[in-house]
Amino acid sequence: MLAIVHACAIVGLEGEQIEVQVDFNPRAAVPQFSIVGLPDSAVRESKERVRAAIKNSSLQFPQKGYVVNLSPADLQKHGPAYDLAIAVGVLAATDQVPLNALPQAMFAGELSLDGRICHVKGAMSIAYCARAAGLKTLYVPEEDARQAALIDGIDVIGVASLGQLVEHLYGMNVIPPQPNVADDSLFDAVPTDLVDFADVRGQEHVKRVLEIAAAGGHNVRMVGSPGVGKSLLARAMAGILPRLTHQEALEVTRIYSVADLLEGRPLITQRPFRAPHHTISQAGLVGGGSLPKPGEVSLSHRGVLFLDEINEFNLKTLEALRQPIEDRVVTISRAHGTLTFPTNFLLVAAHNPCPCGYHGDPTHTCSCSPTAIERYMSKLSGPLLDRIDIHIYVPRVDYDRLLSDDRAESSAVVRQRVEAARARQHERFAQHPHLFSNSDMTAREVTSLCVLSPEARQILDLTVRRMQLSARAYHRVLKLSRTIADLADSEVIQAPHVAEAVQYRPKLDLA
């Protein structure tokens, strides 16, 4: 008897529908269990898990011939998520579950030997796939049901064991669908474990820079001696970023679901903050591997990617950042196909001005030779620097200021201004739904949306000629000026806005 069950393969961030075709031959002379359709080792081993799980669930597993085909056969199948679909197919082929429940359902889950259904990666992508295929019901492990239920338009049933699933399919002990947990109140909470701007003494001009960066999604590079607060300021930035929208939260959660980094959370409600060590590999940073997975640039999507001591990163690893920063996506090509991961992150880079860290410091003497300083700073190429909107020097804070009891503005106050600026951008982008912040604008949109006053146009033209800005740098100055104008609640970019944006271009002593 032939039974067909729907499963899902995760390819990048997308789910692709798989037909699990189980043919049971009760007259087979030799008991066998064959799985075909390009299965990897984990999929081939599922026959042992399926056999034990069925027997230990007080169900029958006739010792006859089984052939399981995973269609389409030209797509490589990975991981244990096919266990549940194969087990249901075996039970259907041996008349132990009703066939009428299968055509409109998809099954995903790993089986333990005692019949329990265990967690699988990518439950959200599986739910998207099931909905796109027009199916009505998705059966997933109980612990993944809340995550999958974030997707509207499909009933998600969380099951704890194979025996419980069989009872449900027969209409006994029916399991209710998992309710959607995406309550708007989840996005209102402000994280309490972040550094507050009020606790950072001094560095008011650097805080201003980070406020501008957060308001427009602009990349930042901070240069300063050790101990001046670069890392502290970068970590405080997470507290002034605007709240995630529901759409952004689903995008981020989907990435973390496929990477299996949700850690029990059904939904990511805070913007990611990722700070990889400088020894990270290129594949770890931008994604890759034999089975391409999201890298740090994708895990920081809609959030912050902090590269501390960026000059210590491998040169090829840094150069791999060019495309993700510019295109907001990273494309990974392998022999079996090409995958694309989103990378719309805010880059915050920090490093010392020289190998010893004290070049230009008023209180310490630099021990580096000019050649060593030049070699150290040249690790950041011109094209990479051109993709960073704001370059700022972070000076040492006076001890009297450190010991002062005066508290600066809190992150909550700054965040209100940032969100107000983002609201103005949202209104301006009403006809451009793919734009979330000023940094997302393309050259065409910069031309139409960045309106300059005559004085601002004059300053910008003079700056382009004197600083010999590239076309990319020109557009980045315009986008930065637009953000400064948004913070000032000005619809037209004025001369002071352009003047402030220009001063954040790299100086000779920084680059």
Side-chain angles (χ1 to χ4, degrees):
M1 182 178 177
L2 177 67
I4 297 177
V5 180
H6 300 292
C8 180
I10 303 296
V11 182
L13 297 182
E14 304 297 325
E16 184 163 335
Q17 185 178 1
I18 301 295
E19 262 196 9
V20 179
Q21 304 162 354
V22 180
D23 181 57
F24 172 61
N25 182 6
R27 294 185 294 273
V30 179
Q32 61 176 355
F33 197 131
S34 301
I35 300 178
V36 297
L38 286 184
D40 71 349
S41 298
V43 180
R44 286 194 296 269
E45 292 170 354
S46 69
K47 59 187 178 183
E48 305 300 336
R49 294 190 293 272
V50 166
R51 179 185 288 111
I54 290 177
K55 289 182 176 180
N56 291 325
S57 299
S58 300
L59 298 166
Q60 300 300 315
F61 188 89
Q63 294 293 337
K64 298 294 180 181
Y66 300 87
V67 177
V68 178
N69 179 42
L70 306 178
S71 176
D74 61 345
L75 177 66
Q76 186 77 42
K77 318 300 186 306
H78 304 279
Y82 303 95
D83 288 3
L84 184 58
I86 294 174
V88 171
V90 169
L91 294 174
T94 54
D95 292 324
Q96 297 184 75
V97 295
L99 292 175
N100 60 358
L102 305 184
Q104 295 299 316
M106 179 176 285
F107 299 84
E110 177 185 346
L111 287 175
S112 66
L113 298 185
D114 61 0
R116 286 180 294 110
I117 301 175
C118 305
H119 158 76
V120 293
K121 299 179 183 179
M124 180 176 286
S125 294
I126 294 171
Y128 273 116
C129 176
R131 186 180 68 178
L135 303 178
K136 296 180 179 179
T137 310
L138 171 64
Y139 295 93
V140 294
E142 198 171 43
E143 61 184 292
D144 297 326
R146 295 179 66 201
Q147 178 195 146
L150 294 170
I151 310 306
D152 296 324
I154 186 168
D155 289 336
V156 176
I157 307 294
V159 288
S161 67
L162 187 60
Q164 183 190 30
L165 174 60
V166 172
E167 290 181 355
H168 171 85
L169 293 176
Y170 272 113
M172 303 180 295
N173 299 324
V174 174
I175 308 169
Q178 177 71 36
N180 191 299
V181 296
D183 191 326
D184 289 341
S185 63
L186 293 174
F187 299 90
D188 295 335
V190 177
T192 58
D193 57 343
L194 300 177
V195 177
D196 196 297
F197 264 26
D199 297 326
V200 181
R201 301 290 189 267
Q203 309 294 12
E204 302 304 329
H205 73 296
V206 184
K207 295 179 186 178
R208 164 67 176 174
V209 161
L210 297 184
E211 180 180 340
I212 295 170
H218 302 286
N219 300 324
V220 181
R221 170 188 172 220
M222 295 185 289
V223 182
S225 301
V228 298
K230 301 186 297 294
S231 299
L232 186 69
L233 286 161
R235 296 184 183 279
M237 188 171 186
I240 67 171
L241 290 173
R243 295 170 178 82
L244 280 174
T245 65
H246 186 266
Q247 179 183 346
E248 290 174 327
L250 290 178
E251 291 177 11
V252 176
T253 302
R254 188 174 190 177
I255 297 170
Y256 277 68
S257 173
V258 169
D260 203 21
L261 294 174
L262 284 175
E263 299 175 348
R265 297 167 293 177
L267 180 67
I268 300 290
T269 58
Q270 306 296 338
R271 293 190 180 273
F273 181 89
R274 306 291 298 184
H277 193 260
H278 62 79
T279 56
I280 191 172
S281 67
Q282 182 173 322
L285 185 63
V286 301
S290 56
L291 299 176
K293 298 186 299 183
E296 291 292 336
V297 294
S298 296
L299 295 173
S300 57
H301 180 64
R302 302 295 180 196
V304 175
L305 176 64
F306 177 44
L307 300 184
D308 197 10
E309 303 299 343
I310 188 173
N311 287 43
E312 301 296 337
F313 282 72
N314 180 273
L315 181 60
K316 290 185 177 180
T317 301
L318 287 179
E319 292 305 302
L321 285 173
R322 290 192 196 179
Q323 186 225 355
I325 292 176
E326 190 71 17
D327 299 339
R328 308 294 189 181
V329 295
V330 60
T331 303
I332 301 172
S333 297
R334 294 293 183 267
H336 54 77
T338 299
L339 300 176
T340 299
F341 297 105
T343 61
N344 195 343
F345 59 87
L346 193 161
L347 173 66
V348 178
H351 64 89
N352 298 327
C354 65
C356 80
Y358 295 109
H359 176 62
D361 191 291
T363 61
H364 293 78
T365 302
C366 176
S367 60
C368 305
S369 67
T371 303
I373 296 174
E374 182 179 358
R375 186 185 306 114
Y376 181 79
M377 300 302 291
S378 65
K379 287 189 176 182
L380 298 179
S381 66
L384 183 59
L385 290 174
D386 217 24
R387 288 167 166 81
I388 298 178
D389 303 335
I390 302 176
H391 303 255
I392 187 73
Y393 180 77
V394 184
R396 188 174 298 280
V397 180
D398 185 70
Y399 283 116
D400 293 336
R401 189 64 184 273
L402 287 175
L403 298 176
S404 172
D405 292 331
D406 296 336
R407 286 176 63 85
E409 282 185 320
S410 68
S411 294
V413 174
V414 178
R415 187 181 196 179
Q416 290 177 354
R417 293 199 297 266
V418 169
E419 291 183 334
R422 287 286 183 112
R424 297 183 188 100
Q425 295 167 41
H426 181 73
E427 293 177 5
R428 189 180 304 117
F429 299 150
Q431 304 302 319
H432 307 273
H434 62 288
L435 299 179
F436 288 84
S437 63
N438 286 333
S439 64
D440 295 334
M441 291 189 290
T442 63
R444 175 182 297 180
E445 290 146 357
V446 167
T447 303
S448 61
L449 299 177
C450 295
V451 181
L452 293 158
S453 68
E455 296 80 6
R457 171 65 66 184
Q458 185 177 5
I459 292 177
L460 185 60
D461 290 345
L462 183 63
T463 300
V464 169
R465 289 182 174 86
R466 286 191 174 180
M467 298 183 68
Q468 298 181 343
L469 298 182
S470 65
R472 180 187 294 113
Y474 167 76
H475 286 121
R476 289 188 176 274
V477 169
L478 264 178
K479 290 188 280 188
L480 189 58
S481 302
R482 178 66 269 170
T483 299
I484 297 171
D486 286 335
L487 284 169
D489 197 13
S490 174
E491 195 58 37
V492 176
I493 300 173
Q494 304 292 341
H497 307 146
V498 174
E500 183 176 0
V502 167
Q503 73 172 344
Y504 297 135
R505 293 307 304 167
K507 310 298 189 297
L508 291 177
D509 59 335
L510 295 184

